[in-house]
Amino acid sequence: MPHSKIAGMGFYVPEQIVTNKDLEKVMDTTDEWIRERTGIEERRYAKKHEETATTMGVQAANIAIERAGLTNKDIDFIIFATLSPDYYFPGCGVLLQREMGMNGIGALDIRNQCSGFIYALSIADQFIKSGMYKNILIVGSEFHSCGLDFTTRGRNVTVIFGDGAGAAVIQATEEEGKGILTTHLHADGKFAEELAYYNPGSHGGVFLKDKPERQSNYGEEPEFGGIFMTNEMVDDGQIYPTMNGRYVFKWAVEKFPEVIHEALTKTGNVVDDIDMLIPHQANLRISQLVQMNLGIENDRVYNNIQKYGNTTAASIPIALCEAWEKGKIKDGDLVCLAAFGSGFTWGSALIRW
Ligand code: UT7
């Protein structure tokens, strides 16, 4: 039975660097606060009206395909993970397919936020194991800066996010013991509203009845329709993401180690066997606490949130690709990927390089 490996990777971050000092100019925050609570020093913002989640995904995908020694024609399926799509619908998968001239092949969109890349990897792995496809392009891309609240009201969310994209070609292989060894996916929708971007949406307040502080302002309503996005929501700033930061932090620190242990146990490995851990870049303090919990030394964990902020679905492929480019991942290494985020969703993957 074939299994899968990562045949090529690429990442793209926009040129514009936005430092914490730059954010100090538009909201009540400080470089010191951001560094201390998150480890972030700067992030990249995409060029408005020129770049999108799709165009950044294309940039990363071109590199991944070339490094896999393939051309666009060799790709037989696309999986695109993002929470900041170009359009509400259709998804970025078909837009990327169009931009890359891959017309006719299937394109699937994943909406699993910070865990999006692990979900995409797992789905690609299953398709390859079933024999359905041989080369699957998976992409994680985010254009957060176009949908954040740049006033002091939104500072707890806005300062942590950045834009960028990462991609990988997942390829069928018969080589024993190499490639994707296992993937584990989890979710708990009880916590959906703890980190959410629920307007514009068709919910009409249905799930927020017991949370009056989060109820949307629908204003004067016509008899039919008119709940998706109202002027009142825009005026009240209800069109931005909301996050119960402390709550998310607490759960992340618990679920990361749990899902890493799950992958290790499934494959008969232990923490000491991990050569490189690539945690989703949520917050440097979360990564450090997870690292401490597992007892892993610094040179076996790769973090780059300091430079790019939290890029949600793009953070793992950007970090994985950058670590590989720097020679920190070598042939035969055991690489562990792990994510936690909105949903809540979380997951892990173990790869023998
Ligand atoms: O990848 C998706 C998953 N997301 C995460 O993993 C995020 C997890 N959570 C976190 O990373 C942290 O909760 C944050 C970095 C978002 C916030 O840090 P915190 O230590 O939990 O701060 P807090 O929200 O409890 O706020 C503490 C104080 C508050 O002021 P008061 O009420 O104590 O006077 C906030 O208003 O810090 C204030 N604050 C800020 N001050 C300066 C919140 N954001 C900022 C800011 N600059 N940007």
Side-chain angles (χ1 to χ4, degrees):
M1 185 173 92
H3 60 283
S4 59
K5 66 170 186 181
I6 295 185
M9 283 180 302
F11 79 96
Y12 170 81
V13 287
E15 266 173 39
Q16 192 188 3
I17 297 173
V18 176
T19 63
N20 297 339
K21 290 268 177 212
D22 292 327
L23 293 180
E24 282 181 9
K25 293 176 200 149
V26 294
M27 62 178 74
D28 182 12
T29 190
T30 60
D31 177 47
E32 193 192 359
W33 191 98
I34 301 171
R35 279 177 198 252
E36 195 181 296
R37 307 279 178 134
T38 72
I40 298 167
E41 294 162 20
E42 58 190 41
R43 71 286 291 142
R44 304 292 180 100
Y45 285 170
K47 223 176 210 167
K48 283 191 278 187
H49 310 297
E50 280 185 32
E51 294 186 304
T52 72
T54 299
T55 68
M56 289 189 282
V58 169
Q59 299 267 10
N62 281 331
I63 302 168
I65 292 171
E66 195 190 331
R67 283 180 175 162
L70 302 176
T71 69
N72 295 4
K73 289 193 172 55
D74 299 312
I75 301 296
D76 33 34
F77 195 65
I78 296 162
I79 307 178
F80 200 120
T82 186
L83 64 69
S84 47
D86 304 18
Y87 299 148
Y88 194 81
F89 75 85
C92 291
V94 296
L95 301 180
L96 176 132
Q97 184 220 45
R98 180 178 67 187
E99 293 304 303
M100 298 187 73
M102 295 167 163
N103 299 344
I105 64 168
L108 174 70
D109 287 274
I110 301 272
R111 297 195 54 175
N112 292 90
Q113 301 71 248
C114 307
S115 312
F117 192 80
I118 303 241
Y119 269 72
L121 186 75
S122 182
I123 293 166
D125 186 40
Q126 313 315 316
F127 271 135
I128 282 175
K129 282 185 187 145
S130 77
M132 189 157 172
Y133 298 121
K134 288 199 166 47
N135 290 300
I136 301 179
L137 174 66
I138 64 172
V139 179
S141 182
E142 303 289 0
F143 188 171
H144 285 308
S145 63
C146 66
L148 295 170
D149 183 354
F150 283 94
T151 69
T152 297
R153 182 181 55 197
R155 65 183 178 175
N156 67 319
V157 176
T158 300
V159 300
I160 72 175
F161 290 105
D163 302 338
V169 174
I170 310 302
Q171 187 173 63
T173 177
E174 299 285 348
E175 202 179 349
E176 281 304 311
K178 285 270 182 100
I180 297 166
L181 306 179
T182 189
T183 59
H184 300 268
L185 307 178
H186 296 280
D188 194 339
K190 252 201 321 281
F191 306 107
E193 285 81 18
E194 301 303 334
L195 173 47
Y197 196 155
Y198 39 76
N199 292 320
S202 57
H203 61 87
V206 169
F207 302 120
L208 305 171
K209 289 205 167 96
D210 60 343
K211 300 183 175 78
E213 74 287 358
R214 292 188 180 180
Q215 267 293 358
S216 307
N217 180 357
Y218 296 105
E220 285 280 316
E221 289 195 59
E223 191 180 353
F224 305 114
I227 59 167
F228 197 75
M229 173 132 74
T230 64
N231 291 335
E232 287 79 2
M233 281 179 202
V234 177
D235 293 344
D236 289 356
Q238 293 174 343
I239 51 153
Y240 297 113
T242 65
M243 176 169 72
N244 183 347
R246 295 220 159 175
Y247 206 68
V248 177
F249 196 105
K250 180 176 132 308
W251 277 82
V253 169
E254 190 181 314
K255 292 296 172 190
F256 267 108
E258 193 180 290
V259 78
I260 291 168
H261 279 298
E262 189 182 351
L264 291 170
T265 305
K266 180 74 189 296
T267 52
N269 285 292
V270 294
V271 170
D272 275 353
D273 296 323
I274 297 176
D275 294 298
M276 184 54 72
L277 171 65
I278 311 275
H280 158 55
Q281 301 293 288
N283 177 327
L284 189 61
R285 306 300 161 229
I286 292 177
S287 296
Q288 287 166 336
L289 284 169
V290 170
Q291 180 185 345
M292 211 160 68
N293 175 306
L294 295 170
I296 296 187
E297 312 82 61
N298 286 340
D299 62 350
R300 293 199 287 140
V301 183
Y302 191 74
N303 290 301
N304 59 9
I305 190 170
Q306 301 91 327
K307 287 189 299 178
Y308 305 131
N310 178 339
T311 57
T312 310
S315 97
I316 288 181
I318 291 176
L320 180 63
C321 186
E322 194 173 76
W324 173 79
E325 284 177 3
K326 288 184 174 176
K328 290 178 184 292
I329 298 174
K330 291 176 284 306
D331 200 35
D333 277 356
L334 187 65
V335 177
C336 181
L337 313 179
F340 177 88
S342 160
F344 292 153
T345 59
W346 62 102
S348 62
L350 268 185
I351 304 167
R352 179 66 67 187
W353 213 256

